[in-house]
Amino acid sequence: MAYSCTDFVDDVLNDMVIRNWIKPEQYGPDDPQVQCDAVLGAISDADVSLRLAADAKQFHAELLDAVETLSGIAEQYGALALANVVYLQTAILKGGVIELTRDEAENFAFVRDLPSGGRWWRSVNLIE
């Protein structure tokens, strides 16, 4: 039996449901436009997630190039700075921000000296 366009669509939709990228409630079995919208939305979300993951990976690589070891951060800047590195990488991965007081930000300023430091610093909010 030949593999049809309908088989292809069903396989794509079923795979995306299994991966929890879409939910069956998002589309009807006989509505190709809504099916397409659900798939394209999931692809767009995945694209954003992949970009954020690449950013977090780049942050980590730049950080290790600059400090050589994570324990070196704690030794040089303190345990709070090391914790904030982890929080910042998570914020970059999720497209979020961390909040630092002015004192914490001064002790964390080494991040701004990284090759993409200005980009990473956009994920830091200063609070009073």
Side-chain angles (χ1 to χ4, degrees):
M1 180 148 106
Y3 191 73
S4 70
C5 289
T6 301
D7 294 332
F8 175 77
V9 169
D10 289 343
D11 286 348
V12 169
L13 292 170
N14 290 334
D15 187 70
M16 291 184 129
V17 167
I18 289 168
R19 294 171 191 265
N20 289 318
W21 292 353
I22 61 174
K23 303 216 178 304
E25 304 84 46
Q26 289 180 259
Y27 61 88
D30 298 321
D31 194 341
Q33 183 63 57
V34 174
Q35 291 171 342
C36 179
D37 292 345
V39 169
L40 291 178
I43 290 170
S44 177
D45 291 346
D47 185 49
V48 169
S49 295
L50 288 172
R51 182 184 51 79
L52 294 172
D55 288 349
K57 181 179 176 183
Q58 181 181 351
F59 168 72
H60 190 76
E62 288 181 13
L63 182 70
L64 288 182
D65 284 346
V67 298
E68 295 185 21
T69 66
L70 294 177
S71 59
I73 294 170
E75 290 169 8
Q76 188 169 357
Y77 302 101
L80 182 58
L82 177 57
N84 285 330
V85 162
V86 175
Y87 297 142
L88 180 58
Q89 185 174 14
T90 301
I92 292 167
L93 181 61
K94 294 182 175 185
V97 297
I98 63 171
E99 294 182 337
L100 300 177
T101 65
R102 295 233 179 256
D103 289 341
E104 290 169 335
E106 284 178 24
N107 195 42
F108 199 59
F110 64 90
V111 168
R112 285 188 269 188
D113 295 331
L114 298 174
S116 303
R119 190 166 122 207
W120 311 135
W121 202 255
R122 287 194 298 261
S123 295
V124 175
N125 279 345
L126 297 180
I127 58 172
E128 292 300 322

